[in-house]
Amino acid sequence: MSEISRLQRYVPARQDLRVRLRLSVTEFLLTPLLMVLGAVALALGSVLVDMSSPDWPPDVRNLFLRLFPHENLLGMLRVIATGLVTVTTLTISALLVAISHTATTVAPVVFDQFLRRRANQAYFGYVAGCATYTYLVMAVSRPRWAGVGALLAVVLAAGALVLLVFMAYVMIDQMRPTSVVRSIQDLAFTARLRQLPLLARSRTRPVVDGDSLPVTTRATGYVVDISTARLERLLAPTGDAVEVAFQVRIGDLLAYGDTVARIRGGDEESRRRVADDVLDCVTIDRVRNADVDPDHAIEQLGNIAWAATSTRQNPDVALASVGALRDLSARCAAAGVPEAEAYGGPLPVVYDDALQRRIVAALVDLVVVSTSSRQHQTCAVALSTLAEILPQLPDRDRDLAVKSLQRALPATLSHVASVEMGRGLARLRAAFDTIGREDMADQVRDMGPRLVRESGLEDDLIDHLDDNDITGPRPFRFR
């Protein structure tokens, strides 16, 4: 093998255009393209009707021409064609400015949400379809025709102007940070439901001992999906003798040489056969797929809260994001994971579900970053949310959460001794008592007097709140 041929092995492969096209179509293009194709079909139908108009009964044709003079309709077509292009250009320009301004507040995730909303796709598809229809009718219109196609173009243009009023409000409403947060929250839970087949059919820990055969990747990008149907076909000949333990999760970023999975059990030939084909069950792309990646939505919510907390902005944005994270954690914990038989039975596959750990990590980050902006409200709500999440976590996730909190709690001493901070610390102490971590409960208990002393106060912040109900109204709200 020549030196050049050897180096070619390390050159990144070109991105699969089919995967890129599929993602762009599902993300935005499908609805507008279908509406444009519908407009083309409508133009064809109206042209056929106009072509048959010379054969209409004279009374009907004359009445139609008196009501809708052909010259007027053709003049309107020219105005409509120019007007639609102008309105569309101005609308897109204004929206780009609004989206850019909003993106500085709630992070660039607003672009993703704007593209994925069906109402936005339908609006742009309708306007593009109207313009396409108008130009097609103008191109084939004849003076002897009745002008049914031109009249229909006028009706469609009027509908576009009326729709513009409604879409202006809808799109502005979408720019509200709370609307962005709620959209991401809904998307996260939908993605969680679509991920359940993989979680239900896989194991949380390896059960097959012995040497493992690592499977590495030459691709670069995010793990977009792991197909359980392909895994089932791949592992059918070996049964439970061979186990595939994934070292990555959906949403992880891979680089050249990263280990994707380890193959254990069976004979060497069976392990080699599974190792050669297991990468076909993993889809890797340059862009994450929010449809089956709830961790992506969690990171978006965490980034929104982080940006709002670190830059001394209005804390309502961060508080709404924290509320969405808490709601998502509670819903996923309550729903659980169905039995494997609901999706075709268990597979000898090991996959680590880290959704709750991702939520905890996002909240712990807020506790730390709130010190830079002194947003004690956000810190207090993050502590209260962690207190509610801790008891419902599995043992492994709970231990990791406690270790993370142990390192982050000293950051709370930089805040003022507000009532919100006292309530958050009191709830966290009660949560540590509930899960049997008296050492951490004592640590939190000692933070109350320290926080009070550093704020120049005298009474014990947590003792005062222990005498009252600490489960009062949540200090965050959605619009």
Side-chain angles (χ1 to χ4, degrees), residues 153-171:
V154 174
V155 175
L156 293 175
L161 293 177
V162 174
L163 187 62
L164 178 62
V165 177
F166 292 96
M167 289 306 302
Y169 170 76
V170 171
M171 291 180 181

PDB file of all heavy atoms in Angstrom, residues 153-171:
ATOM      1  N   ALA A 153     -56.144  33.433  -8.652  1.00  0.00           N
ATOM      2  CA  ALA A 153     -54.915  34.024  -8.146  1.00  0.00           C
ATOM      3  C   ALA A 153     -55.214  35.227  -7.256  1.00  0.00           C
ATOM      4  O   ALA A 153     -54.554  35.435  -6.225  1.00  0.00           O
ATOM      5  CB  ALA A 153     -54.004  34.436  -9.301  1.00  0.00           C
ATOM      6  N   VAL A 154     -56.217  36.017  -7.649  1.00  0.00           N
ATOM      7  CA  VAL A 154     -56.611  37.156  -6.818  1.00  0.00           C
ATOM      8  C   VAL A 154     -57.123  36.671  -5.463  1.00  0.00           C
ATOM      9  O   VAL A 154     -56.798  37.236  -4.410  1.00  0.00           O
ATOM     10  CB  VAL A 154     -57.674  37.998  -7.544  1.00  0.00           C
ATOM     11  CG1 VAL A 154     -58.194  39.106  -6.630  1.00  0.00           C
ATOM     12  CG2 VAL A 154     -57.102  38.593  -8.819  1.00  0.00           C
ATOM     13  N   VAL A 155     -57.927  35.604  -5.476  1.00  0.00           N
ATOM     14  CA  VAL A 155     -58.463  35.063  -4.221  1.00  0.00           C
ATOM     15  C   VAL A 155     -57.326  34.534  -3.337  1.00  0.00           C
ATOM     16  O   VAL A 155     -57.294  34.777  -2.121  1.00  0.00           O
ATOM     17  CB  VAL A 155     -59.492  33.959  -4.525  1.00  0.00           C
ATOM     18  CG1 VAL A 155     -59.960  33.293  -3.232  1.00  0.00           C
ATOM     19  CG2 VAL A 155     -60.675  34.530  -5.280  1.00  0.00           C
ATOM     20  N   LEU A 156     -56.393  33.810  -3.934  1.00  0.00           N
ATOM     21  CA  LEU A 156     -55.271  33.282  -3.157  1.00  0.00           C
ATOM     22  C   LEU A 156     -54.409  34.398  -2.580  1.00  0.00           C
ATOM     23  O   LEU A 156     -53.941  34.320  -1.436  1.00  0.00           O
ATOM     24  CB  LEU A 156     -54.421  32.365  -4.036  1.00  0.00           C
ATOM     25  CG  LEU A 156     -55.080  31.053  -4.493  1.00  0.00           C
ATOM     26  CD1 LEU A 156     -54.159  30.305  -5.450  1.00  0.00           C
ATOM     27  CD2 LEU A 156     -55.428  30.181  -3.303  1.00  0.00           C
ATOM     28  N   ALA A 157     -54.187  35.461  -3.369  1.00  0.00           N
ATOM     29  CA  ALA A 157     -53.397  36.580  -2.864  1.00  0.00           C
ATOM     30  C   ALA A 157     -54.102  37.284  -1.713  1.00  0.00           C
ATOM     31  O   ALA A 157     -53.464  37.683  -0.732  1.00  0.00           O
ATOM     32  CB  ALA A 157     -53.119  37.563  -3.994  1.00  0.00           C
ATOM     33  N   ALA A 158     -55.413  37.432  -1.811  1.00  0.00           N
ATOM     34  CA  ALA A 158     -56.155  38.030  -0.705  1.00  0.00           C
ATOM     35  C   ALA A 158     -56.044  37.172   0.549  1.00  0.00           C
ATOM     36  O   ALA A 158     -55.897  37.678   1.666  1.00  0.00           O
ATOM     37  CB  ALA A 158     -57.620  38.217  -1.108  1.00  0.00           C
ATOM     38  N   GLY A 159     -56.106  35.855   0.368  1.00  0.00           N
ATOM     39  CA  GLY A 159     -55.922  34.959   1.504  1.00  0.00           C
ATOM     40  C   GLY A 159     -54.538  35.089   2.119  1.00  0.00           C
ATOM     41  O   GLY A 159     -54.380  35.020   3.350  1.00  0.00           O
ATOM     42  N   ALA A 160     -53.515  35.296   1.267  1.00  0.00           N
ATOM     43  CA  ALA A 160     -52.160  35.459   1.786  1.00  0.00           C
ATOM     44  C   ALA A 160     -52.037  36.726   2.622  1.00  0.00           C
ATOM     45  O   ALA A 160     -51.358  36.746   3.659  1.00  0.00           O
ATOM     46  CB  ALA A 160     -51.161  35.479   0.636  1.00  0.00           C
ATOM     47  N   LEU A 161     -52.704  37.817   2.193  1.00  0.00           N
ATOM     48  CA  LEU A 161     -52.652  39.061   2.961  1.00  0.00           C
ATOM     49  C   LEU A 161     -53.360  38.913   4.309  1.00  0.00           C
ATOM     50  O   LEU A 161     -52.889  39.415   5.331  1.00  0.00           O
ATOM     51  CB  LEU A 161     -53.279  40.199   2.150  1.00  0.00           C
ATOM     52  CG  LEU A 161     -52.509  40.601   0.882  1.00  0.00           C
ATOM     53  CD1 LEU A 161     -53.271  41.681   0.129  1.00  0.00           C
ATOM     54  CD2 LEU A 161     -51.111  41.088   1.238  1.00  0.00           C
ATOM     55  N   VAL A 162     -54.507  38.222   4.305  1.00  0.00           N
ATOM     56  CA  VAL A 162     -55.204  37.991   5.567  1.00  0.00           C
ATOM     57  C   VAL A 162     -54.374  37.090   6.471  1.00  0.00           C
ATOM     58  O   VAL A 162     -54.256  37.322   7.696  1.00  0.00           O
ATOM     59  CB  VAL A 162     -56.599  37.381   5.302  1.00  0.00           C
ATOM     60  CG1 VAL A 162     -57.272  37.000   6.614  1.00  0.00           C
ATOM     61  CG2 VAL A 162     -57.469  38.351   4.522  1.00  0.00           C
ATOM     62  N   LEU A 163     -53.784  36.070   5.880  1.00  0.00           N
ATOM     63  CA  LEU A 163     -52.964  35.150   6.664  1.00  0.00           C
ATOM     64  C   LEU A 163     -51.733  35.840   7.232  1.00  0.00           C
ATOM     65  O   LEU A 163     -51.254  35.473   8.317  1.00  0.00           O
ATOM     66  CB  LEU A 163     -52.536  33.970   5.776  1.00  0.00           C
ATOM     67  CG  LEU A 163     -51.795  32.815   6.462  1.00  0.00           C
ATOM     68  CD1 LEU A 163     -52.685  32.171   7.514  1.00  0.00           C
ATOM     69  CD2 LEU A 163     -51.350  31.796   5.428  1.00  0.00           C
ATOM     70  N   LEU A 164     -51.234  36.869   6.525  1.00  0.00           N
ATOM     71  CA  LEU A 164     -50.064  37.595   6.996  1.00  0.00           C
ATOM     72  C   LEU A 164     -50.317  38.242   8.349  1.00  0.00           C
ATOM     73  O   LEU A 164     -49.423  38.290   9.215  1.00  0.00           O
ATOM     74  CB  LEU A 164     -49.668  38.654   5.964  1.00  0.00           C
ATOM     75  CG  LEU A 164     -48.476  39.551   6.330  1.00  0.00           C
ATOM     76  CD1 LEU A 164     -47.210  38.723   6.488  1.00  0.00           C
ATOM     77  CD2 LEU A 164     -48.292  40.627   5.273  1.00  0.00           C
ATOM     78  N   VAL A 165     -51.535  38.738   8.575  1.00  0.00           N
ATOM     79  CA  VAL A 165     -51.862  39.374   9.844  1.00  0.00           C
ATOM     80  C   VAL A 165     -51.764  38.361  10.983  1.00  0.00           C
ATOM     81  O   VAL A 165     -51.165  38.632  12.043  1.00  0.00           O
ATOM     82  CB  VAL A 165     -53.269  40.000   9.788  1.00  0.00           C
ATOM     83  CG1 VAL A 165     -53.640  40.602  11.137  1.00  0.00           C
ATOM     84  CG2 VAL A 165     -53.334  41.046   8.695  1.00  0.00           C
ATOM     85  N   PHE A 166     -52.349  37.182  10.773  1.00  0.00           N
ATOM     86  CA  PHE A 166     -52.318  36.156  11.813  1.00  0.00           C
ATOM     87  C   PHE A 166     -50.895  35.624  12.022  1.00  0.00           C
ATOM     88  O   PHE A 166     -50.462  35.418  13.168  1.00  0.00           O
ATOM     89  CB  PHE A 166     -53.258  35.008  11.452  1.00  0.00           C
ATOM     90  CG  PHE A 166     -54.706  35.384  11.474  1.00  0.00           C
ATOM     91  CD1 PHE A 166     -55.353  35.762  10.308  1.00  0.00           C
ATOM     92  CD2 PHE A 166     -55.428  35.377  12.652  1.00  0.00           C
ATOM     93  CE1 PHE A 166     -56.689  36.116  10.320  1.00  0.00           C
ATOM     94  CE2 PHE A 166     -56.761  35.732  12.676  1.00  0.00           C
ATOM     95  CZ  PHE A 166     -57.398  36.100  11.509  1.00  0.00           C
ATOM     96  N   MET A 167     -50.171  35.396  10.934  1.00  0.00           N
ATOM     97  CA  MET A 167     -48.838  34.833  11.072  1.00  0.00           C
ATOM     98  C   MET A 167     -47.877  35.825  11.707  1.00  0.00           C
ATOM     99  O   MET A 167     -46.931  35.429  12.383  1.00  0.00           O
ATOM    100  CB  MET A 167     -48.305  34.399   9.703  1.00  0.00           C
ATOM    101  CG  MET A 167     -49.006  33.176   9.142  1.00  0.00           C
ATOM    102  SD  MET A 167     -48.982  31.775  10.298  1.00  0.00           S
ATOM    103  CE  MET A 167     -47.228  31.549  10.535  1.00  0.00           C
ATOM    104  N   ALA A 168     -48.120  37.134  11.500  1.00  0.00           N
ATOM    105  CA  ALA A 168     -47.261  38.125  12.148  1.00  0.00           C
ATOM    106  C   ALA A 168     -47.349  37.984  13.663  1.00  0.00           C
ATOM    107  O   ALA A 168     -46.328  38.000  14.368  1.00  0.00           O
ATOM    108  CB  ALA A 168     -47.667  39.528  11.708  1.00  0.00           C
ATOM    109  N   TYR A 169     -48.584  37.826  14.169  1.00  0.00           N
ATOM    110  CA  TYR A 169     -48.721  37.655  15.615  1.00  0.00           C
ATOM    111  C   TYR A 169     -48.147  36.318  16.064  1.00  0.00           C
ATOM    112  O   TYR A 169     -47.453  36.244  17.087  1.00  0.00           O
ATOM    113  CB  TYR A 169     -50.184  37.745  16.024  1.00  0.00           C
ATOM    114  CG  TYR A 169     -50.391  37.338  17.466  1.00  0.00           C
ATOM    115  CD1 TYR A 169     -50.057  38.191  18.507  1.00  0.00           C
ATOM    116  CD2 TYR A 169     -50.885  36.070  17.787  1.00  0.00           C
ATOM    117  CE1 TYR A 169     -50.216  37.814  19.824  1.00  0.00           C
ATOM    118  CE2 TYR A 169     -51.043  35.680  19.101  1.00  0.00           C
ATOM    119  CZ  TYR A 169     -50.717  36.554  20.125  1.00  0.00           C
ATOM    120  OH  TYR A 169     -50.866  36.169  21.416  1.00  0.00           O
ATOM    121  N   VAL A 170     -48.444  35.248  15.329  1.00  0.00           N
ATOM    122  CA  VAL A 170     -47.979  33.919  15.736  1.00  0.00           C
ATOM    123  C   VAL A 170     -46.455  33.871  15.784  1.00  0.00           C
ATOM    124  O   VAL A 170     -45.857  33.342  16.729  1.00  0.00           O
ATOM    125  CB  VAL A 170     -48.536  32.855  14.774  1.00  0.00           C
ATOM    126  CG1 VAL A 170     -47.879  31.504  15.037  1.00  0.00           C
ATOM    127  CG2 VAL A 170     -50.038  32.733  14.924  1.00  0.00           C
ATOM    128  N   MET A 171     -45.813  34.457  14.779  1.00  0.00           N
ATOM    129  CA  MET A 171     -44.353  34.412  14.737  1.00  0.00           C
ATOM    130  C   MET A 171     -43.736  35.290  15.823  1.00  0.00           C
ATOM    131  O   MET A 171     -42.697  34.939  16.398  1.00  0.00           O
ATOM    132  CB  MET A 171     -43.863  34.833  13.354  1.00  0.00           C
ATOM    133  CG  MET A 171     -44.202  33.828  12.267  1.00  0.00           C
ATOM    134  SD  MET A 171     -43.614  34.337  10.650  1.00  0.00           S
ATOM    135  CE  MET A 171     -44.201  32.963   9.643  1.00  0.00           C
TER     136      MET A 171
END
